[in-house]
């Protein structure tokens, strides 16, 4: 559809008198500007995180509606299944109602290969309770739903073994890290990127832990776009 629109715009431009072309070109250029992601060394990214006390007053998991109809409401798949389809290293078969069979995934928290979608959890990189503690308590319900179903950044939602996700629960990196040591730098980078993307704070203990990991992960680069 985008290709057809661009072709139509080009044809329209050719039909206009020459004097009108510059203003149309400027307007078209402005319309296709794509946000440039922030790219920072991990240590600098951690330094951008605001530090504040956490507060869980009033939190309930139902404050974050999930899983919704996902990026494509017409595909019959909710956010969970869309993430599973995106992260599969071997694509599963998709039956009516977006029932997934077969396929293969690799849980990067523990480097476990999984051949059944039902054995995977979709982990919120920054857990819902942690997000609430760190600033989401002031959001609208619409923004919390957007957070809980965020597929605008690959780091926000990740398919992992149920065992590791439930071990993590609502903990931050000061008290929980993936069991696979080789995953630590990636995990800290993605945690930091998610907090920056959603303008979430860190508490003092969390900030200190992130700084320690950032020193050890000196080659890790953080990529993020602020959430709409």
């Amino acid at each position: 559809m985008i290709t057809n629109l661009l072709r139509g715009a080009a044809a329209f431009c050719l039909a206009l008198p020459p004097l009108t072309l510059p203003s149309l070109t400027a307007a078209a250029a402005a319309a296709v500007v794509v946000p440039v992601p922030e790219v920072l060394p991990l240590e600098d990214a951690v330094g951008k995180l605001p530090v504040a006390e956490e507060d869980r007053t009033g939190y309930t998991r139902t404050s974050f509606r999930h899983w919704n109809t996902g990026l494509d409401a017409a595909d019959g798949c909710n956010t969970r299944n869309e993430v599973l389809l995106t992260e599969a290293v071997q694509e599963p078969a998709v039956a009516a109602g977006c029932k997934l069979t077969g396929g293969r995934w690799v849980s990067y928290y523990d480097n476990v290969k999984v051949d059944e979608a039902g054995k995977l959890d979709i982990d919120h990189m920054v857990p819902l309770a942690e997000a609430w503690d760190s600033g989401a308590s002031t959001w609208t319900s619409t923004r919390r739903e957007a957070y809980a179903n965020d597929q605008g950044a690959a780091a926000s939602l990740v398919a992992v073994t149920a065992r590791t996700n439930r071990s993590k629960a609502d903990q931050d990196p000061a008290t929980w890290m993936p069991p696979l040591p080789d995953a630590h730098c990636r995990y800290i980078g993605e945690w930091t990127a998610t907090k920056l993307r959603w303008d979430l704070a860190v508490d003092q203990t969390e900030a200190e832990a992130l700084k320690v990991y950032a020193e050890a992960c000196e080659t890790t680069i953080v990529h993020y776009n602020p959430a709409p």
Side-chain angles (χ1 to χ4, degrees), residues 6 22-23 29 32 42 46 48 74-75 80 111 113 138 147 189 194 196 203 209-210 212 218:
L6 291 174
S23 60
V32 296
L42 177 57
V46 168
K48 290 189 68 172
D75 68 3
R80 170 187 160 82
N111 197 34
K113 296 177 177 63
T138 65
Y147 177 84
T194 303
L196 288 171
D203 64 25
L210 292 175
V212 170
E218 58 185 4

Short mmCIF file of all heavy atoms in Angstrom, two decimals, residues 6 22-23 29 32 42 46 48 74-75 80 111 113 138 147 189 194 196 203 209-210 212 218:
data_model
loop_
_atom_site.label_atom_id
_atom_site.label_comp_id
_atom_site.label_asym_id
_atom_site.label_seq_id
_atom_site.Cartn_x
_atom_site.Cartn_y
_atom_site.Cartn_z
N LEU A 6 3.19 6.10 -2.74
CA LEU A 6 4.35 6.84 -3.25
C LEU A 6 4.27 7.00 -4.76
O LEU A 6 4.59 8.05 -5.31
CB LEU A 6 5.64 6.13 -2.85
CG LEU A 6 5.96 6.16 -1.36
CD1 LEU A 6 7.19 5.31 -1.07
CD2 LEU A 6 6.20 7.58 -0.89
N PRO A 22 8.60 22.53 -5.43
CA PRO A 22 9.44 22.61 -4.24
C PRO A 22 8.67 22.45 -2.94
O PRO A 22 9.08 21.73 -2.05
CB PRO A 22 10.08 24.00 -4.36
CG PRO A 22 10.08 24.26 -5.84
CD PRO A 22 8.82 23.65 -6.35
N SER A 23 7.50 23.12 -2.80
CA SER A 23 6.76 23.03 -1.55
C SER A 23 6.22 21.63 -1.34
O SER A 23 6.19 21.11 -0.23
CB SER A 23 5.62 24.06 -1.53
OG SER A 23 4.72 23.82 -2.61
N ALA A 29 8.93 15.22 2.18
CA ALA A 29 10.12 14.85 2.96
C ALA A 29 9.82 14.87 4.45
O ALA A 29 10.24 14.00 5.20
CB ALA A 29 11.27 15.80 2.64
N VAL A 32 7.91 11.74 5.80
CA VAL A 32 8.54 10.43 5.88
C VAL A 32 9.73 10.39 6.84
O VAL A 32 10.50 9.45 6.83
CB VAL A 32 9.01 9.95 4.48
CG1 VAL A 32 7.82 9.77 3.57
CG2 VAL A 32 10.01 10.92 3.87
N LEU A 42 26.85 1.39 27.01
CA LEU A 42 26.03 1.03 28.16
C LEU A 42 26.28 1.93 29.36
O LEU A 42 25.34 2.36 30.03
CB LEU A 42 26.30 -0.44 28.54
CG LEU A 42 25.58 -0.97 29.77
CD1 LEU A 42 24.07 -0.82 29.65
CD2 LEU A 42 25.96 -2.43 30.01
N VAL A 46 23.28 3.98 31.17
CA VAL A 46 22.94 3.83 32.58
C VAL A 46 22.97 5.18 33.29
O VAL A 46 22.12 5.49 34.13
CB VAL A 46 23.89 2.82 33.26
CG1 VAL A 46 23.75 2.87 34.79
CG2 VAL A 46 23.63 1.41 32.75
N LYS A 48 22.11 7.96 32.16
CA LYS A 48 20.95 8.79 31.80
C LYS A 48 19.70 8.42 32.59
O LYS A 48 18.70 9.16 32.54
CB LYS A 48 20.64 8.63 30.31
CG LYS A 48 21.66 9.26 29.38
CD LYS A 48 21.16 9.24 27.95
CE LYS A 48 19.97 10.15 27.76
NZ LYS A 48 19.57 10.29 26.32
N ALA A 74 -6.01 -8.19 12.38
CA ALA A 74 -6.64 -9.09 11.41
C ALA A 74 -5.99 -10.47 11.35
O ALA A 74 -6.53 -11.37 10.70
CB ALA A 74 -6.62 -8.45 10.02
N ASP A 75 -4.84 -10.64 12.00
CA ASP A 75 -4.15 -11.93 11.84
C ASP A 75 -4.64 -13.00 12.82
O ASP A 75 -4.23 -14.16 12.75
CB ASP A 75 -2.63 -11.76 11.96
CG ASP A 75 -2.15 -11.37 13.36
OD1 ASP A 75 -2.99 -11.28 14.28
OD2 ASP A 75 -0.93 -11.16 13.53
N ARG A 80 1.09 -12.14 22.55
CA ARG A 80 1.94 -13.28 22.92
C ARG A 80 2.34 -14.09 21.70
O ARG A 80 3.53 -14.38 21.48
CB ARG A 80 1.22 -14.18 23.94
CG ARG A 80 1.96 -15.49 24.18
CD ARG A 80 1.17 -16.46 25.06
NE ARG A 80 1.69 -17.82 24.88
CZ ARG A 80 2.76 -18.31 25.50
NH1 ARG A 80 3.45 -17.56 26.33
NH2 ARG A 80 3.16 -19.55 25.27
N ASN A 111 19.89 -20.37 27.42
CA ASN A 111 20.34 -21.08 26.22
C ASN A 111 19.67 -22.44 26.07
O ASN A 111 20.29 -23.40 25.61
CB ASN A 111 21.86 -21.25 26.22
CG ASN A 111 22.39 -21.58 24.82
OD1 ASN A 111 21.86 -21.11 23.81
ND2 ASN A 111 23.43 -22.40 24.75
N LYS A 113 16.84 -24.77 24.24
CA LYS A 113 16.04 -24.89 23.02
C LYS A 113 14.67 -25.44 23.39
O LYS A 113 14.57 -26.41 24.14
CB LYS A 113 16.75 -25.77 22.00
CG LYS A 113 18.07 -25.21 21.51
CD LYS A 113 18.76 -26.16 20.56
CE LYS A 113 20.05 -25.55 20.03
NZ LYS A 113 21.03 -25.30 21.10
N THR A 138 1.64 6.58 37.24
CA THR A 138 1.05 7.87 36.85
C THR A 138 0.50 7.87 35.43
O THR A 138 -0.08 8.85 35.00
CB THR A 138 2.10 8.99 36.97
OG1 THR A 138 3.15 8.77 36.01
CG2 THR A 138 2.70 9.04 38.38
N TYR A 147 2.45 -0.32 26.93
CA TYR A 147 3.67 -0.85 27.53
C TYR A 147 3.62 -2.37 27.62
O TYR A 147 4.59 -3.07 27.26
CB TYR A 147 3.87 -0.26 28.93
CG TYR A 147 5.08 -0.81 29.64
CD1 TYR A 147 6.34 -0.29 29.41
CD2 TYR A 147 4.96 -1.90 30.51
CE1 TYR A 147 7.46 -0.81 30.04
CE2 TYR A 147 6.07 -2.44 31.14
CZ TYR A 147 7.32 -1.89 30.89
OH TYR A 147 8.42 -2.42 31.50
N GLY A 189 21.90 -4.46 28.97
CA GLY A 189 21.67 -3.50 27.89
C GLY A 189 20.20 -3.36 27.55
O GLY A 189 19.69 -2.25 27.34
N THR A 194 15.02 -0.50 27.79
CA THR A 194 13.58 -0.47 28.05
C THR A 194 13.22 0.64 29.02
O THR A 194 12.23 1.36 28.84
CB THR A 194 13.10 -1.84 28.58
OG1 THR A 194 13.46 -2.85 27.64
CG2 THR A 194 11.60 -1.85 28.78
N LEU A 196 14.87 3.41 29.49
CA LEU A 196 15.03 4.69 28.78
C LEU A 196 13.90 4.91 27.78
O LEU A 196 13.38 6.02 27.63
CB LEU A 196 16.38 4.73 28.07
CG LEU A 196 17.60 4.88 28.98
CD1 LEU A 196 18.89 4.70 28.17
CD2 LEU A 196 17.60 6.25 29.68
N ASP A 203 15.79 2.72 41.22
CA ASP A 203 16.08 3.07 42.60
C ASP A 203 17.59 3.00 42.83
O ASP A 203 18.35 2.58 41.96
CB ASP A 203 15.29 2.21 43.59
CG ASP A 203 15.65 0.73 43.53
OD1 ASP A 203 16.79 0.39 43.13
OD2 ASP A 203 14.81 -0.10 43.91
N ALA A 209 23.78 -1.46 40.95
CA ALA A 209 24.00 -2.74 40.29
C ALA A 209 24.24 -2.54 38.80
O ALA A 209 25.14 -3.17 38.21
CB ALA A 209 22.80 -3.66 40.52
N LEU A 210 23.45 -1.68 38.18
CA LEU A 210 23.62 -1.43 36.74
C LEU A 210 25.00 -0.85 36.44
O LEU A 210 25.63 -1.19 35.43
CB LEU A 210 22.53 -0.48 36.25
CG LEU A 210 21.10 -1.03 36.25
CD1 LEU A 210 20.11 0.06 35.85
CD2 LEU A 210 20.97 -2.22 35.30
N VAL A 212 27.77 -1.38 38.09
CA VAL A 212 28.75 -2.46 38.22
C VAL A 212 28.77 -3.30 36.96
O VAL A 212 29.84 -3.63 36.40
CB VAL A 212 28.46 -3.32 39.46
CG1 VAL A 212 29.32 -4.58 39.46
CG2 VAL A 212 28.68 -2.53 40.74
N GLU A 218 31.83 -3.34 28.98
CA GLU A 218 32.27 -2.08 28.37
C GLU A 218 32.06 -2.01 26.86
O GLU A 218 32.05 -0.93 26.29
CB GLU A 218 33.74 -1.83 28.70
CG GLU A 218 34.69 -2.93 28.25
CD GLU A 218 36.11 -2.68 28.70
OE1 GLU A 218 36.33 -1.69 29.43
OE2 GLU A 218 37.00 -3.46 28.33
#
